[in-house]
Amino acid sequence: MDSKVERRNVSSSSAGESGDVKNTIATTTAATAAFKGAKSSRWRRFVLKPFVYVQFFFGIGLLALAFQQFRRKNTHPEQSPELIAKDWEILYYRIIPFRAISRAWGWLTNRHLPAWARQPILGLYARTFNCNLDEALDGNLDNYSCLAEFFRRKLKSGVRPIDSVSTVVAPSDGTVLNFGRVTAGMMEQVKGVSYSLGEFLGPAYWRNGPEVQPAGQTELEYEKSLLVNKENDLFHCVIYLAPGDYHCFHSPVDWTVNFRRHFPGALLSVNPSIAKWVAGLFSLNERAVYVGQWKHGFFSMTPVGATNVGSIRVYADEKLRTNCTKWALPLPYYDRYMCPDDSDEIPLKKGEIFGEFNLGSTIVLIFEAPKDFEFKIRPGEKIRMGQSLHTTHSATKSSD
């Protein structure tokens, strides 16, 4: 009898223990589910919903900008100042994380492509942007391991002859956006839209080391301060490289580079349609200003970065680092003096390769020349690296 009671007690106690274990497991499971639910709820409340709202209103804002620009184009003539973006529109446009997008694009284009994917992917790119593979040093798409390598493809010898008579040749393939004489310290990026020479180049202290720019210096005074020969004038030329163009850029003249200024800047699109809309676009974007002298005096060549341009590479300037985070390069610009004593000067011959882009972008030339210098190109004209940019009789006169 006692043993039966004892067995009942044991079985009831074990049943009670198992019930407690089940209750504990159930409680733990419920607590875990509640925690996950609370965590998920916090994620939706503090991250997902704000992100969705931001994207929604951001998209609405972009549509509003596009609609307003469309209305302007229908109500104003083509060169009207009303078509130029207002300050608040530029500010809104710059909110787009173009720098992060460009770094992501740079990472993507450097990913190794398996052999089976090269023909379809690179072939699609070549067809879309009218790349001439017959001119490429290696026309076999299977030999390019990634898209970035295809961007930087070299050309066959002789397909870009350098004009031997001209003193200034095209530094790259591309489309002429604008050119002409610098007027009162202002330059036209496209017809009807100007930008400041001083804002683009920055303080002009590259000859004698850091100096304080004179207070109250006008744009015209800044322009005149660049001239080595006061009898000369300043000229400029802007060339846009489309995604399908040859991406390397070359020296347009015989000159010596002795200074470089890197503006980290933004990475806004430099497409001609954006250049017509955003005044001072090239002064906002990341750029590397190379300054030196040629036979007529001051000369500068500036590769300008743009959206999805993963980097600007200059072969003789390995210290240049572009498309970095704002935390890595927090200052407005960074100077590098290239002294003859340190053998840092870069002597360049006309047509010599200078650097490369990782996608299309822009080259800006600003140089001193005799007053009778004349361009022989047109806005919107497609040009090829090595062709003459000016009438040769002017060069002959100026060199006599």
Side-chain angles (χ1 to χ4, degrees):
M1 183 70 176
D2 292 337
S3 62
K4 288 182 180 179
V5 172
E6 187 176 338
R7 279 197 299 273
R8 269 196 214 103
N9 290 337
V10 171
S11 61
S12 63
S13 64
S14 61
E17 288 176 2
S18 63
D20 291 342
V21 171
K22 289 180 180 178
N23 289 337
T24 302
I25 294 172
T27 303
T28 303
T29 304
T32 303
F35 174 75
K36 288 182 177 179
K39 187 176 180 181
S40 176
S41 177
R42 285 196 297 272
W43 166 260
R44 287 195 297 269
R45 186 184 310 162
F46 297 114
V47 178
L48 188 59
K49 284 186 178 179
F51 178 77
V52 171
Y53 289 148
V54 167
Q55 295 297 310
F56 174 76
F57 288 113
F58 189 70
I60 292 295
L62 286 179
L63 286 175
L65 283 178
F67 178 70
Q68 186 169 358
Q69 190 67 6
F70 176 76
R71 290 185 59 189
R72 286 176 185 162
K73 285 187 175 181
N74 286 339
T75 55
H76 297 284
E78 186 176 350
Q79 302 301 331
S80 172
E82 292 295 325
L83 296 178
I84 300 174
K86 306 296 186 292
D87 289 343
W88 70 268
E89 292 175 317
I90 296 175
L91 180 63
Y92 192 91
Y93 181 53
R94 293 184 68 179
I95 292 174
I96 302 174
F98 286 116
R99 188 169 289 278
I101 293 171
S102 298
R103 283 197 298 274
W105 175 252
W107 176 87
L108 180 64
T109 57
N110 279 285
R111 294 307 91 194
H112 180 81
L113 290 174
W116 59 266
R118 295 175 187 177
Q119 284 287 347
I121 293 176
L122 299 181
L124 176 63
Y125 182 91
R127 290 190 299 274
T128 303
F129 295 108
N130 298 318
C131 303
N132 189 348
L133 295 180
D134 293 334
E135 295 180 339
L137 184 62
D138 187 350
N140 186 355
L141 297 179
D142 290 329
N143 294 333
Y144 295 98
S145 62
C146 62
L147 194 54
E149 193 175 302
F150 180 67
F151 294 156
R152 301 188 298 267
R153 66 192 179 277
K154 300 299 186 289
L155 300 182
K156 294 175 182 175
S157 176
V159 298
R160 293 292 184 275
I162 310 300
D163 191 303
S164 59
V165 178
S166 174
T167 55
V168 185
V169 299
S172 65
D173 289 7
T175 302
V176 177
L177 288 188
N178 218 323
F179 60 89
R181 202 179 303 265
V182 178
T183 307
M186 300 297 291
M187 305 178 291
E188 279 194 327
Q189 62 188 35
V190 293
K191 188 171 178 58
V193 182
S194 299
Y195 63 109
S196 163
L197 175 68
E199 289 182 3
F200 183 76
L201 296 178
Y205 50 61
W206 36 74
R207 287 192 197 130
N208 304 313
E211 299 172 0
V212 177
Q213 189 167 340
Q217 185 182 42
T218 66
E219 295 285 357
L220 179 58
E221 290 170 340
Y222 179 89
E223 175 191 336
K224 296 302 181 185
S225 72
L226 301 183
L227 296 174
V228 176
N229 182 350
K230 301 305 179 183
E231 298 299 318
N232 290 340
D233 280 343
L234 275 184
F235 297 85
H236 73 101
C237 181
V238 183
I239 301 168
Y240 168 70
L241 286 74
D245 288 329
Y246 169 55
H247 284 67
C248 293
F249 47 90
H250 297 240
S251 173
V253 298
D254 295 330
W255 65 307
T256 300
V257 180
N258 49 41
F259 179 85
R260 182 257 289 158
R261 174 170 289 149
H262 174 211
F263 292 84
L267 285 175
L268 309 181
S269 171
V270 293
N271 185 279
S273 61
I274 301 296
K276 292 178 182 178
W277 182 55
V278 180
L281 174 63
F282 305 138
S283 299
L284 296 174
N285 269 13
E286 180 167 29
R287 59 198 181 278
V289 179
Y290 286 88
V291 175
Q293 288 206 359
W294 73 313
K295 68 176 184 177
H296 293 303
F298 173 85
F299 195 95
S300 79
M301 177 175 176
T302 304
V304 181
T307 307
N308 290 341
V309 177
S311 68
I312 301 170
R313 181 186 174 195
V314 173
Y315 300 137
D317 186 8
E318 296 182 358
K319 295 180 180 179
L320 178 67
R321 293 290 182 271
T322 59
N323 198 10
C324 300
T325 63
K326 290 182 179 179
W327 295 275
L329 297 173
L331 299 180
Y333 56 82
Y334 295 83
D335 292 344
R336 181 188 174 196
Y337 294 89
M338 300 171 178
C339 306
D341 298 337
D342 301 331
S343 300
D344 282 344
E345 282 191 338
I346 308 174
L348 292 167
K349 294 294 184 183
K350 182 177 65 176
E352 183 178 347
I353 193 164
F354 192 17
E356 65 186 25
F357 290 112
N358 269 350
L359 198 60
S361 196
T362 301
I363 296 286
V364 178
L365 303 178
I366 303 171
F367 56 92
E368 177 180 350
K371 293 181 183 296
D372 63 351
F373 182 90
E374 294 179 26
F375 286 100
K376 67 169 185 179
I377 48 179
R378 302 183 308 276
E381 180 184 350
K382 288 285 291 183
I383 60 174
R384 290 156 66 102
M385 191 281 292
Q387 79 174 65
S388 176
L389 293 181
H390 66 100
T391 53
T392 53
H393 68 82
S394 294
T396 305
K397 283 182 186 178
S398 62
S399 60
D400 289 341

